[in-house]
Every structure is written in structure tokens, then in C-alpha cells.
């Protein structure tokens, strides 16, 4: 998608918990955005030819010894820059103003009074609630800058320079708590930076088909699918680009949901006309996972074995040069690869952090720049049936990361049966499509129970259901009590080895959606 990336917006990450949210807000306006490490050079930024730069927030102080290192010449680039929170402090400090720590900051909601400004504040109210989050404050405004927003406590909340090329806010316009933050971001994109709305599903499909054709040059592509949204859309894109040269493979690693392997093959082959074949590799996956407890190690073993299985299958088929994968942008971000040295590894994704160094395939990853909701939009444009597009996300490592501790056939069977009941009841009760992702987790903690007149000492099943837009943040779903009651009763009465069910009410952050 190189052409569509040009003239987008670059977000420099200074460690804010909201950085990925900035990227999402930009893309919601059909403008490409990319998160990069704050230590990137000006030369590399100029090679990307962006229309604007956004400096994220962050926990540091601009005058502290541990402040992130970055190329200060970036702040003099001849394109608009928006500084958010810590980004405001950087701009003020760089342009001759002063930032000090008063010992008391503003955190959470604050009422802000805005000045009239035709560009950045167009269509915004004179007063609005915003989300503040920093100890430091501006104590001296740079020359040729003006204040455009102040909080009710007198804190400078917004600044703009004389020619409207540098804009800075003490508050976070990207979070939903800031009532008119989306308006401000739109004003920056279209009134100040003059961005174009070209990051659309139709453009993405056309561009990606072109790239796939150029990359493979009539070579055959082996495609790994799982039945999930990502791999289904990826397979359809590659099939659209190369037709019969696309050979889809579903590797059953023994960690799929109940009956999922056969159902997936039927949907893709009969429903979408994709050349797909099923291979049962479960025995080797179970043998390699024996005794493994650490979740990162499990993910990397599963990723490594996927590649080894693909190697073997492709060799049997006569050799394939390319491997298609359903990698998404959040996979890359959470694996600590996209943003560079400043990124933290949240969890390695089997198709990112788990890939071996001696990988013999050239990867084709047509979705690697997309968030989940963008993938669904592309899938709709490709004509993929709604029942496949609206499926809840399912991790590549499958149930391997939904079983806490060692993965065994017995534990997988228990979890498959419990999960199948959970998903069935959600569909029957009309709750499934209200939820971003729902699943069961096997917690191998024995608890005491009573069934009939007998004492039991069996496993614990945790239910997880969240709402989200893109998976980067999520809220736990307020499940109706009658649904939880029915699911719990059916699991305990029908799944051998389980005598207790609990419901997870943790949001992301601080938790992740998956347990491992």
C-alpha cells in the first residue's frame, strides 16, 4: 500500500498509553496514519513524504535526564505538527517558551474555554470538557504563539503559532472523554494539513491486488488460513489477485474450536471458491507443547511449528516461494516491532514475534497495515458473507493461549466443549453480535464443588466478553445475568471436568483481551 501511505500522518511515539488511539482516530477520517518510534531520523521521515506529524503524549518531563532522545531537527520540518500533552511541552520548549513542574497537575476531566480560531477550532464550542493527563505546565508562551485554550483552573490547554503550522494541546483530543476531540483532529487533518481522504476500502483492495501481483510475478502462493476474519479476508485478497496460483492451507494444530476445522474448509471452499486443503498436524504441536507453561514460549513454539509445517506441506506440493499471512497492524505494534526501540512487547504474535530467522518463504501480508475494523470493511467490499466477516477474533495460537499452564489434549477437549456452549448460548440469546470477542478460558485451578451427593474437585472455567472497535482498547461486556446463569449451568452440567464458572470484568488496559 505504498502509494496510499504517501501523504499520510506520522505519529511519533513518546510513550503515551493513547498513541495507538491517535492512529485509529486519524484512520477513521480515511487518512493513513503510522506510528513510529520517537528516535527516528528526520531523513527517514522525509522519505515517507507525510502531510503532517503528531507528537504523542508521554510520561516524561522535557527537562528531565531520562527524557526520550529524538532528532530535534524534526520540529523544524516544513509541514504542520500537532503536539499532544508531552508533545505540547516539546514544541514550547523548542520554540523558546518555558515548561515547569508546579508540583500539581491536572488529571482527568477539565473544563476548557476556547478562543476563536478559524482553522483548528472551527465548529467547536466556546466551552467543552477535555481529558488532561500531565504534571508539567506551560509557564511562558513562545514568541509569535498565542493561547487558544485555557482550563477553568487557568492552565494553558492549547497553543498555536503565528502561521498555524504548529498546534499544541495540553489535553488528549484522541480519547472519547474529550467531548469535541474528534472535531479538533478533523480540523487539523483537513483545515491545517490539507490531507486527502484516500484510505478507503476500495482503494486498499485495488492497491493491494496490484502489490500482490507485482510481488509474486506469477509464482504460486501458499496461504495459511484459520477460518477467522483476518485469514479469510487475506485469502480472498490473494485469491482475487492471483486466482489458481493461490493454494490455501488450514493446519489443524489441535487448538481450534470444536468442529472448526471442517466448518472452515466448507465455508471457504464451497462459499468463496477458494482452493483450500486441511492438514492435521495436531500430534506434533501437542508433543512440542508438552510441559511448556510460559505463555510467550507457547506462542513462539506454535509460530515456529506453523512455519515448519508449512515448509513440509509446500515441499510435498512441489515447493512454494511465497507464504500469505493474515498479520494485522496491532499484531506488529503489540509485538514491539512497528515503533522501534521505544516499543514494549505486550505479547509476541505467532506470525510476528514467533517467526524463525531462517524462514525460507517470502511473506505476503496484505493486511499488515490495517486495524481489525478496517479488515472487516475490506471484507465487506470483497463480498465475503456477513457470517464470516462478523466472527469474533480468534488468536492464531488458538486455545493454546486460552489454557493457563500446560496444553494437553484433555484440557483442550474440556475447553472446546465449554467454549462451544458459551458461543452457542450467545447466538441463541441474541448477544453474539453485541460483543467484539467472547471466549472461555481454562484455569487449571481445582475447586471444591458438589454434584448430587458427591463432592467434586474439578477445573475452573472463566468466561471473557469484551466490546471494542479495533482491539487496541476494550471494555468488559455487561452480560445479562440470565445469559451468564444459563451458560454457567450448561457448562457445569455438561462438561466433564468443570465444576465452577466465573466471569472476567477486566478492561483493556490494564488487562489484555486474551489471558495469555
Amino acid at each position: 500500500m505504498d502509494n496510499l501511505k504517501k501523504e499520510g500522518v506520522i505519529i511519533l511515539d513518546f510513550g503515551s498509553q493513547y498513541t495507538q488511539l491517535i492512529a485509529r482516530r486519524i484512520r477513521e477520517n480515511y487518512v493513513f496514519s503510522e506510528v513510529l518510534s520517537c528516535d527516528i531520523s528526520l531523513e527517514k521521515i522525509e522519505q515517507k513524504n507525510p502531510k503532517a506529524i503528531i507528537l504523542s503524549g508521554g510520561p516524561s518531563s522535557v527537562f528531565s535526564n531520562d527524557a526520550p532522545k529524538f532528532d530535534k531537527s524534526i520540529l523544524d520540518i516544513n509541514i504542520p505538527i500537532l503536539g499532544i500533552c508531552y508533545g505540547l511541552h516539546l514544541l514550547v520548549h523548542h520554540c523558546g517558551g518555558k515548561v515547569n513542574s508546579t508540583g500539581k497537575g491536572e488529571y482527568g476531566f477539565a473544563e476548557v474555554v476556547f478562543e476563536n480560531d478559524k482553522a483548528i477550532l472551527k465548529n467547536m464550542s466556546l466551552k467543552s470538557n477535555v481529558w488532561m493527563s500531565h504534571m508539567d505546565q506551560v509557564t511562558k508562551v513562545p514568541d509569535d504563539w498565542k493561547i487558544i485554550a485555557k482550563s477553568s483552573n487557568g492552565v494553558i490547554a492549547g497553543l498555536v503559532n503565528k502561521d498555524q503550522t504548529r498546534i499544541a494541546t495540553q489535553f488528549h483530543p484522541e480519547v472519547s472523554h474529550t467531548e469535541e476531540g474528534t472535531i479538533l483532529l478533523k480540523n487539523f487533518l483537513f483545515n491545517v494539513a490539507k490531507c486527502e481522504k484516500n484510505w478507503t476500502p476500495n482503494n486498499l483492495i485495488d492497491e493491494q491486488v496490484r502489490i500482490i501481483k507485482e510481488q509474486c510475478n506469477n509464482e504460486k502462493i501458499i496461504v495459511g488460513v484459520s477460518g477467522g476474519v483476518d485469514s479469510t479476508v487475506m485469502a480472498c485478497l490473494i485469491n482475487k489477485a492471483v486466482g489458481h496460483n493461490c493454494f490455501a492451507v488450514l493446519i489443524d494444530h489441535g487448538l481450534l474450536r470444536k468442529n472448526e476445522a471442517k466448518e472452515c474448509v466448507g465455508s471457504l471452499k464451497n462459499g468463496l471458491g477458494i482452493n483450500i486443503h486441511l492438514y492435521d498436524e495436531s500430534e506434533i504441536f501437542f508433543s512440542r507443547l508438552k510441559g511448556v507453561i510460559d505463555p510467550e514460549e507457547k506462542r513462539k513454539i506454535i509460530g515456529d511449528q506453523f512455519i515448519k509445517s508449512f515448509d513440509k506441506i509446500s515441499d510435498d506440493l512441489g515447493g512454494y516461494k511465497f507464504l500469505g499471512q493474515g498479520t494485522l497492524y496491532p499484531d506488529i505494534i503489540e509485538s514491539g516491532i512497528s515503533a522501534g526501540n521505544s516499543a514494549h512487547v505486550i505479547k509476541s504474535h505467532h506470525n510476528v514475534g514467533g517467526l524463525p530467522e531462517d524462514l525460507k518463504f517470502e511473506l505476503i501480508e496484505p493486511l499488515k497495515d490495517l486495524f481489525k475494523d478496517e479488515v472487516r470493511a475490506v471484507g465487506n467490499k470483497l463480498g465475503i458473507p456477513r457470517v464470516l466477516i462478523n466472527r469474533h477474533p480468534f488468536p492464531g495460537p488458538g486455545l493454546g493461549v486460552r489454557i493457563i499452564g500446560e496444553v494437553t489434549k484433555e484440557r483442550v477437549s474440556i475447553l472446546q466443549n465449554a467454549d462451544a456452549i458459551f458461543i452457542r448460548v450467545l447466538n441463541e440469546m441474541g448477544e453474539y453480535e453485541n460483543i467484539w470477542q467472547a471466549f472461555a478460558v481454562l484455569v487449571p485451578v481445582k475447586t471444591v464443588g458438589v454434584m448430587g451427593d458427591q463432592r467434586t474437585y474439578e477445573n475452573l472455567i472463566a468466561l471473557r466478553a469484551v466490546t471494542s472497535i479495533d482491539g487496541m482498547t476494550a471494555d468488559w461486556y455487561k452480560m445479562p445475568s440470565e445469559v451468564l446463569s444459563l451458560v454457567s449451568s450448561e457448562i457445569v452440567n455438561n462438561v466433564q471436568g468443570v465444576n465452577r464458572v466465573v466471569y472476567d470484568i477486566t478492561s483493556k488496559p490494564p488487562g489484555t483481551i486474551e489471558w495469555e
Side-chain angles (χ1 to χ4, degrees):
M1 302 179 190
D2 295 340
N3 290 339
L4 296 183
K5 289 182 184 179
K6 292 178 180 177
E7 301 192 343
V9 175
I10 285 176
I11 301 158
L12 296 187
D13 183 12
F14 288 92
S16 170
Q17 61 179 316
Y18 303 128
T19 300
Q20 320 312 333
L21 192 53
I22 302 172
R24 282 296 310 118
R25 293 292 178 258
I26 303 305
R27 293 189 183 196
E28 285 169 4
N29 288 286
Y30 304 107
V31 175
F32 177 73
S33 61
E34 182 176 12
V35 176
L36 298 173
S37 172
C38 62
D39 61 8
I40 191 172
S41 68
L42 173 62
E43 180 183 4
K44 289 183 178 178
I45 286 179
E46 289 178 331
Q47 289 172 359
K48 293 176 177 290
N49 193 29
K51 292 286 282 188
I53 293 174
I54 295 179
L55 311 175
S56 84
S60 301
S61 294
V62 293
F63 40 78
S64 68
N65 292 330
D66 62 350
K69 306 297 182 185
F70 76 105
D71 186 344
K72 293 180 175 58
S73 62
I74 292 171
L75 301 183
D76 297 317
I77 194 171
N78 191 30
I79 58 174
I81 297 178
L82 169 63
I84 297 174
C85 196
Y86 181 73
L88 173 145
H89 304 153
L90 286 176
L91 287 173
V92 168
H93 192 68
H94 181 74
C95 295
K98 287 187 178 178
V99 178
N100 289 318
S101 178
T102 62
K104 61 174 184 177
E106 280 193 303
Y107 293 91
F109 283 111
E111 185 181 65
V112 164
V113 177
F114 293 104
E115 299 290 333
N116 254 333
D117 185 277
K118 294 180 180 178
I120 193 64
L121 301 181
K122 184 178 180 182
N123 298 323
M124 292 182 66
S125 305
L126 293 180
K127 287 184 179 180
S128 186
N129 287 325
V130 301
W131 188 258
M132 295 281 206
S133 178
H134 213 283
M135 283 291 292
D136 296 347
Q137 298 177 10
V138 176
T139 55
K140 180 180 180 296
V141 177
D143 294 340
D144 295 324
W145 285 60
K146 70 174 182 178
I147 298 171
I148 58 170
K150 270 192 174 183
S151 77
S152 57
N153 292 330
V155 174
I156 294 173
L159 293 166
V160 63
N161 71 345
K162 187 175 182 180
D163 62 5
Q164 301 270 339
T165 61
R166 300 293 182 267
I167 296 160
T169 64
Q170 179 68 70
F171 58 89
H172 289 270
E174 70 274 21
V175 302
S176 59
H177 306 74
T178 297
E179 292 176 343
E180 298 183 324
T182 54
I183 301 176
L184 187 145
L185 289 174
K186 283 182 181 179
N187 287 338
F188 177 71
L189 293 174
F190 304 116
N191 296 343
V192 177
K194 309 298 181 185
C195 294
E196 294 184 11
K197 296 183 177 183
N198 62 1
W199 190 251
T200 64
N202 282 337
N203 287 345
L204 294 173
I205 292 169
D206 293 342
E207 178 84 347
Q208 198 50 234
V209 166
R210 178 188 64 79
I211 290 173
I212 293 169
K213 286 180 176 179
E214 289 179 358
Q215 185 178 354
C216 75
N217 193 26
N218 290 322
E219 294 272 358
K220 293 181 178 179
I221 305 173
I222 189 170
V223 174
V225 298
S226 66
V229 177
D230 308 336
S231 66
T232 298
V233 174
M234 176 269 300
C236 286
L237 261 176
I238 293 178
N239 191 61
K240 182 178 178 68
V242 302
H244 65 275
N245 277 342
C246 172
F247 188 94
V249 168
L250 192 155
I251 290 180
D252 184 359
H253 49 19
L255 306 172
L256 295 172
R257 282 175 161 158
K258 191 172 183 179
N259 300 323
E260 189 164 36
K262 292 181 179 179
E263 291 173 1
C264 171
V265 170
S267 296
L268 295 182
K269 180 179 288 186
N270 302 326
L272 297 172
I274 293 175
N275 184 19
I276 181 170
H277 301 267
L278 175 64
Y279 294 84
D280 186 351
E281 295 280 297
S282 58
E283 289 299 330
I284 190 169
F285 277 88
F286 280 121
S287 66
R288 290 195 61 185
L289 289 168
K290 185 175 181 179
V292 178
I293 295 174
D294 180 73
E296 274 294 288
E297 189 178 354
K298 284 196 285 188
R299 285 179 177 273
K300 290 182 177 180
I301 286 173
I302 293 169
D304 178 70
Q305 186 54 48
F306 257 112
I307 298 301
K308 284 182 166 57
S309 293
F310 272 116
D311 274 348
K312 181 186 72 174
I313 292 166
S314 66
D315 286 343
D316 291 344
L317 294 170
Y320 279 74
K321 182 178 180 181
F322 296 97
L323 169 62
Q325 288 200 138
T327 307
L328 301 192
Y329 196 38
D331 297 341
I332 295 172
I333 292 171
E334 291 191 339
S335 295
I337 293 173
S338 176
N341 295 333
S342 65
H344 295 279
V345 176
I346 299 171
K347 57 187 178 184
S348 292
H349 289 260
H350 75 285
N351 51 352
V352 181
L355 294 176
E357 293 182 2
D358 60 347
L359 179 68
K360 75 175 187 179
F361 295 107
E362 288 185 37
L363 292 179
I364 293 182
E365 299 173 303
L367 310 179
K368 68 179 180 180
D369 294 311
L370 305 185
F371 288 92
K372 178 72 74 172
D373 57 316
E374 294 173 315
V375 173
R376 294 190 200 278
V378 168
N380 282 323
K381 288 294 181 182
L382 287 168
I384 298 173
R386 178 183 173 87
V387 66
L388 295 179
I389 290 299
N390 289 340
R391 285 193 64 189
H392 292 178
F394 188 71
L399 303 182
V401 292
R402 293 179 179 174
I403 295 173
I404 308 303
E406 184 181 9
V407 177
T408 67
K409 288 183 180 181
E410 180 186 7
R411 287 178 174 176
V412 169
S413 178
I414 291 172
L415 184 55
Q416 283 177 330
N417 290 325
D419 187 80
I421 289 172
F422 187 28
I423 300 304
R424 173 178 58 77
V425 171
L426 290 179
N427 277 299
E428 290 174 352
M429 301 290 281
E431 294 290 345
Y432 185 84
E433 291 201 8
N434 298 329
I435 299 168
W436 161 268
Q437 192 170 5
F439 54 90
V441 178
L442 177 63
V443 185
V445 173
K446 300 285 188 178
T447 72
V448 175
V450 177
M451 290 187 180
D453 295 323
Q454 299 294 318
R455 175 185 182 276
T456 63
Y457 194 55
E458 302 290 2
N459 293 289
L460 170 71
I461 286 288
L463 305 178
R464 178 80 159 137
V466 299
T467 58
S468 181
I469 295 174
D470 50 37
M472 299 304 295
T473 60
D475 292 322
W476 64 276
Y477 184 63
K478 311 309 186 283
M479 189 76 72
S481 59
E482 60 269 23
V483 176
L484 288 175
S485 178
L486 179 59
V487 172
S488 175
S489 176
E490 291 213 19
I491 288 176
V492 170
N493 287 320
N494 294 287
V495 180
Q496 189 173 358
V498 176
N499 69 352
R500 192 177 299 269
V501 176
V502 298
Y503 189 56
D504 182 353
I505 58 170
T506 311
S507 294
K508 175 186 179 180
T512 55
I513 295 177
E514 298 287 346
W515 277 38
E516 289 195 337

